[in-house]
C-alpha cells in the first residue's frame, strides 16, 4: 500500500513531458487486436522494456489495454464499448502511464475511442405498448398546420451517428399528415373534412446518420373526431374486425395447408402404385418361369378330359338279424364337383364292388330273397 502511494506521488510530481504518445482506435475491437507499437513510437528498445519491468498503471479499475514486452506493442485486452465507458462524454479516451524501473521512467499514453454506429435509435414517445388503440385525437375543425403529436427518439451513439431524421413510411391518407424531417413533429397539411376517415394510421421511420444507417419504426394511431364516444365506438369495431380477420386468415392458411398435403400424398401414392405395377409386369415379362394354371379348390380331373365329373351319393345299410340289406343310390348332381381324395379311393372301390356282387343272380342277397318268398308260401294264411 505504501509503495502504491509513493508511486502515485511520483506520478504527480514528475513532468509528463518525458514521453507521451496518442492512439485512436474504434470501439468494439476484437480481443488481442493491435493498438500501436509503443517501443517504436517512444524510441525505446524492447530490451529496455524487459529489463525495466515495463508495466501499465491506470487509475481506473478496469484494464482495457495490455502491454507485450517482448514485442513492444499495445494490445486490446478487453472489448471496449464506448457507450458503457463514456456514455455521452466527448471525446472518449483512455489515459494511462507506462512505468519503467532502473532508472525510473514514466510515459503517458492516450487512446481515443472512436464511436461506431452500433446502436439503433430508441423511440421514447409515443410509447409502443401494443395496448393503445388511439395515440392522438384531431378535431374535424383543425386547420392547416395543426400539431397532432411529436415523435421523440434518441440515439446513444455520438457525433453524426446520433443525428436523427424522420419520415412517413406509410399512412392511411398521405395527403392529410406530414412529419418534420428534423424535429419529428406530425402536422396536418390540409383542412380536415367530414369525408376523412375517423381511423388514421401513420408509420414513421426514424433513421440515424451513421454508415450504414440504423433505423427504428413507430406507429401512430390518430382519430379524426370531435367527441371521444365516436372514437371509442369506431375503434372498438376496428378491434373486433381485426380479430375476425386474423382468425379467418389463420383458418384459411390451415385449410390450404391440409388440402395441399392431402393432394401431394394422393399423387405420391398413385405414382408409387403405378411404378410398382409396371415393375412387376416387366419382371414377369422377362422371367423364364413356367406358367402354372389355376384350378378352383377341390377340383379333380380324373379322366384327363378336363370336364367336371358327376357326384354320386351311396348309402348302404346292412344288418345281421333282419336278414335284410338295403342299398340306396342317390341321383347324380349334374352341377356338383366330384371330390376325389387319396384317403377315400379305397372306400369308393369297395362300395362299387359290393354293389356288383349284390346285383348278381346267385348272390347271397338274391338267395335270401328267394328263401323268404318260399317260406311265406308254406305258411297258411
Amino acid at each position: 500500500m505504501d509503495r502504491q502511494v509513493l508511486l502515485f506521488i511520483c506520478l504527480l510530481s514528475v513532468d509528463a513531458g518525458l514521453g507521451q504518445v496518442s492512439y485512436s482506435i474504434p470501439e468494439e475491437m476484437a480481443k488481442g487486436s493491435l493498438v500501436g507499437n509503443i517501443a517504436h513510437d517512444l524510441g525505446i528498445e524492447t530490451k529496455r522494456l524487459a529489463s525495466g519491468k515495463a508495466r501499465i498503471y491506470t487509475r481506473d479499475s478496469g484494464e482495457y489495454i495490455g502491454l507485450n514486452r517482448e514485442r513492444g506493442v499495445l494490445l486490446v485486452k478487453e472489448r471496449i464499448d464506448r457507450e458503457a465507458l463514456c456514455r455521452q462524454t466527448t471525446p472518449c479516451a483512455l489515459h494511462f502511464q507506462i512505468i519503467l524501473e532502473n532508472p525510473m521512467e514514466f510515459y503517458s499514453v492516450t487512446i481515443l475511442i472512436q464511436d461506431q454506429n452500433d446502436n439503433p435509435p430508441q423511440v421514447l414517445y409515443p410509447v409502443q405498448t401494443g395496448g393503445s388503440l388511439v395515440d392522438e385525437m384531431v378535431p374535424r375543425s383543425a386547420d392547416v398546420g395543426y400539431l397532432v403529436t411529436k415523435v421523440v427518439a434518441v440515439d446513444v451513439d455520438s457525433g453524426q451517428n446520433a443525428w436523427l431524421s424522420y419520415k412517413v413510411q406509410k399512412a392511411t391518407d398521405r395527403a392529410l399528415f406530414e412529419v418534420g424531417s428534423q424535429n419529428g413533429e406530425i402536422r396536418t397539411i390540409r383542412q380536415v373534412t367530414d369525408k376523412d376517415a375517423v381511423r388514421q394510421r401513420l408509420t414513421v421511420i426514424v433513421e440515424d446518420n451513421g454508415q450504414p444507417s440504423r433505423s427504428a419504426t413507430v406507429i401512430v394511431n390518430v382519430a379524426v373526431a370531435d367527441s371521444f364516444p365516436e372514437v371509442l365506438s369506431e375503434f372498438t369495431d376496428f378491434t373486433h374486425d381485426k380479430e375476425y380477420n386474423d382468425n379467418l386468415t389463420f383458418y384459411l392458411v390451415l385449410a390450404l395447408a391440409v388440402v395441399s398435403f392431402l393432394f401431394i400424398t394422393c399423387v405420391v401414392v398413385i405414382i408409387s402404385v403405378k411404378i410398382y405395377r409396371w415393375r412387376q409386369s416387366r419382371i414377369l415379362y422377362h422371367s423364364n418361369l413356367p406358367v402354372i394354371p389355376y384350378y378352383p379348390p377341390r377340383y379333380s380331373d380324373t379322366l384327363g378330359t378336363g370336364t367336371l365329373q358327376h357326384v354320386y351319393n351311396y348309402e348302404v345299410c346292412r344288418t345281421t338279424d333282419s336278414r335284410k340289406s338295403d342299398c340306396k343310390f342317390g341321383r347324380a348332381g349334374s352341377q356338383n364337383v366330384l371330390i376325389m381324395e387319396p384317403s377315400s379311393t379305397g372306400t369308393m372301390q369297395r362300395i362299387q364292388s359290393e354293389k356288383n356282387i349284390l346285383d348278381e343272380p346267385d348272390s347271397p342277397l338274391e338267395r335270401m330273397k328267394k328263401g323268404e318268398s318260399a317260406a311265406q308260401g308254406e305258411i297258411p294264411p
Side-chain angles (χ1 to χ4, degrees):
M1 182 67 182
D2 296 339
R3 184 177 179 180
Q4 293 180 354
V5 173
L6 179 61
L7 180 60
F8 178 72
I9 295 174
C10 292
L11 289 174
L12 294 178
S13 59
V14 174
D15 185 8
L18 183 60
Q20 57 184 2
V21 64
S22 297
Y23 298 100
S24 179
I25 61 173
E27 65 172 329
E28 305 294 343
M29 288 184 67
K31 186 176 180 180
S33 300
L34 177 65
V35 176
N37 192 329
I38 190 68
H40 177 270
D41 297 333
L42 292 177
I44 305 174
E45 295 181 359
T46 55
K47 296 181 180 179
R48 170 60 179 151
L49 294 176
S51 61
K53 299 180 181 179
R55 62 184 182 275
I56 293 177
Y57 172 79
T58 177
R59 300 176 184 177
D60 301 328
S61 58
E63 294 183 0
Y64 295 97
I65 305 298
L67 174 62
N68 188 316
R69 298 175 184 173
E70 290 74 15
R71 298 171 53 191
V73 296
L74 296 175
L75 303 175
V76 176
K77 189 176 181 180
E78 296 292 340
R79 186 183 65 87
I80 302 175
D81 185 0
R82 184 199 175 281
E83 288 74 32
L85 180 63
C86 301
R87 298 185 182 275
Q88 294 298 326
T89 303
T90 304
C92 181
L94 293 175
H95 302 278
F96 57 89
Q97 285 78 34
I98 295 179
I99 303 175
L100 284 79
E101 299 179 357
N102 300 321
M104 184 73 68
E105 296 178 357
F106 302 92
Y107 299 94
S108 298
V109 180
T110 301
I111 299 179
L112 297 175
I113 309 299
Q114 299 176 359
D115 181 60
Q116 299 295 309
N117 191 29
D118 56 345
N119 294 285
Q122 299 177 1
V123 178
L124 303 180
Y125 185 85
V127 180
Q128 302 294 288
T129 59
S132 177
L133 296 177
V134 181
D135 296 320
E136 301 295 336
M137 186 172 173
V138 177
R140 294 191 178 273
S141 59
D143 296 330
V144 178
Y146 179 85
L147 178 61
V148 179
T149 187
K150 181 178 181 179
V151 178
V152 180
V154 296
D155 195 323
V156 296
D157 293 326
S158 63
Q160 65 177 6
N161 294 331
W163 298 351
L164 301 179
S165 60
Y166 306 83
K167 62 181 179 180
V168 177
Q169 185 182 36
K170 185 171 28 176
T172 304
D173 187 357
R174 284 183 173 272
L176 184 58
F177 301 103
E178 68 175 357
V179 60
S181 61
Q182 301 300 326
N183 53 22
E185 294 181 351
I186 299 176
R187 296 179 179 271
T188 58
I189 56 178
R190 65 171 175 81
Q191 181 71 37
V192 179
T193 63
D194 296 336
K195 295 181 180 180
D196 293 325
V198 176
R199 295 173 299 189
Q200 298 287 335
R201 185 185 181 93
L202 288 83
T203 302
V204 179
I205 183 170
V206 185
E207 292 182 340
D208 58 23
N209 198 35
Q211 295 296 330
S213 64
R214 293 178 176 268
S215 62
T217 303
V218 57
I219 297 175
V220 182
N221 294 312
V222 180
V224 180
D226 294 326
S227 61
F228 187 76
E230 179 183 358
V231 175
L232 183 61
S233 61
E234 184 72 20
F235 276 85
T236 303
D237 296 338
F238 172 73
T239 304
H240 293 316
D241 294 341
K242 184 176 182 299
E243 293 178 355
Y244 174 76
N245 292 333
D246 292 342
N247 294 333
L248 181 61
T249 302
F250 171 76
Y251 288 117
L252 287 176
V253 172
L254 180 62
L256 180 61
V258 172
V259 171
S260 301
F261 174 76
L262 294 178
F263 174 75
I264 294 174
T265 303
C266 292
V267 171
V268 171
V269 170
I270 292 173
I271 294 176
S272 301
V273 172
K274 292 288 186 181
I275 294 176
Y276 175 77
R277 290 181 178 178
W278 178 79
R279 292 186 63 184
Q280 290 297 323
S281 63
R282 297 291 295 177
I283 292 174
L284 293 177
Y285 179 78
H286 291 287
S287 63
N288 296 323
L289 297 177
V291 179
I292 301 175
Y294 170 76
Y295 294 101
R298 305 181 70 84
Y299 174 83
S300 177
D301 186 5
T302 58
L303 300 179
T305 60
T307 59
L308 297 178
Q309 303 300 315
H310 297 291
V311 176
Y312 292 90
N313 298 324
Y314 299 90
E315 182 180 357
V316 178
C317 301
R318 303 180 64 181
T319 60
T320 58
D321 54 349
S322 64
R323 299 172 61 189
K324 296 182 179 180
S325 297
D326 191 9
C327 183
K328 297 180 181 180
F329 301 94
R331 290 184 178 182
S334 60
Q335 295 181 355
N336 293 332
V337 179
L338 179 62
I339 304 173
M340 296 293 293
E341 296 182 0
S343 61
S344 61
T345 304
T347 304
M348 294 297 295
Q349 293 176 354
R350 185 174 62 255
I351 293 174
Q352 185 67 28
S353 63
E354 291 176 356
K355 175 179 179 298
N356 296 333
I357 294 173
L358 293 175
D359 291 341
E360 294 179 357
D362 295 335
S363 64
L365 179 60
E366 293 294 330
R367 290 196 298 269
M368 290 174 62
K369 288 183 179 181
K370 292 179 180 181
E372 290 178 357
S373 299
Q376 291 178 358
E378 296 176 357
I379 296 175

